[in-house]
Amino acid sequence: MNAEMVRPLVSAPIAQDLEVPLPESLHRFGRSTRATVTGPVDGPAVVVLGGISANRLVCGPGGWWPGMVGEEGAVDPRRHRIIGLDFIADESGQAAPSCRDQAAVLCQALDLAGVAQANAIVGASYGGMVALSFGQHFPERVKRIISISAAASAHPAATALRELQRRVVALGMAHGAAAEALSIARGMAMLSYRTREEFDQRFTGGLDGEEALGPTEPGSYLRARGEAFQTVMSPGRFLSLSASIDRHRIDPEAIGLPCLLIGAESDQLVPPSQLEALATALAGPTALRILPSLYGHDMFLKNAAQVAELVRPFLDANP
């Protein structure tokens, strides 16, 4: 491994930051991306992948999945060798990588980390799609798949909503309002990630006053989420990765690895019926768990401790 491609992270001395070169066939998505490797060299390797706004920093301060990853978590850096990855994307927003492309880059990261075969991939949302694609196309590189809130392909209603979001962002980019457009698209997405029941508990509906564009309580929340989103996502990258979600398709009958599928009863983007169909079609031994949750698609983040309790025994099971 090239020493210039690995450097210690200040916040986590046992972690390494890897520069992962992309094959020439993927250079439209850049020349390289980055991955992290955290934990003991001899620990079982576990890849952790999240949604399109997640990154390689899954452990330590600022890690994006507390409750799942961390000391005493289902994925524990004291026991597991944890690999995180920054997804590739076209920053101009013109092209969308496939989940197989992301899986191929993950293979490159595993090579750099000296991991011939990962014990598991734990993927949620977009990361779950990549995990399933990895299981189909690179089955020799992983022992088991844990896929959370991800199906064999995009639901038509979810695709329709994402296309509207992409049109909003493209319109904003064309008219000098890219930041506001991205904020609006994120607000639209949040409405699909969460549930009506949560909004009913948290906010008061309606508009005070006669100003047509006056603030509302739920609207102010969505505006704040949209502004925060801009700190981790550019408009072009959003277009690329949003479209990548809709490119996702796997052949369940081609996946013979042990799989654990987890979903939420209230998920509007990946309804339980899709996970039930996937569980039936997968060729390998499969367990399906559907959890009640107030938080819809965001269940894997908001109810991380409950999800971790399902992941832990599957992760530690003998092959």
Side-chain angles (χ1 to χ4, degrees), residues 94 179 185 246 254 258 293:
Q94 298 180 41
D246 288 316
S293 177

Side-chain angles (χ1 to χ4, degrees), residues 267-300:
D267 194 335
Q268 301 179 72
L269 291 179
V270 186
S273 59
Q274 278 198 300
L275 296 185
E276 291 164 359
L278 174 59
T280 299
L282 285 165
T286 302
L288 171 64
R289 301 289 183 266
I290 304 294
L291 298 178
S293 177
L294 180 65
Y295 301 106
H297 191 71
D298 272 357
M299 175 267 296
F300 70 93

Side-chain angles (χ1 to χ4, degrees), residues 11-12 57 59-63:
S11 61
L57 304 176
C59 295

Side-chain angles (χ1 to χ4, degrees), residues 165 168-186 226 229-230 233-236 238-239:
Q165 294 168 26
V168 167
V169 172
L171 188 64
M173 293 173 69
H175 293 277
E180 176 67 4
L182 182 62
S183 177
I184 293 170
R186 180 61 170 181
F229 189 56
Q230 294 175 58
M233 184 70 62
S234 68
F238 172 79
L239 290 179

Side-chain angles (χ1 to χ4, degrees), residues 26-49:
L26 296 179
H27 277 183
R28 64 194 178 281
F29 304 115
R31 293 297 191 268
S32 67
T33 188
R34 303 200 75 82
T36 57
V37 184
T38 309
V41 174
D42 59 350
V46 179
V47 178
V48 179
L49 304 173

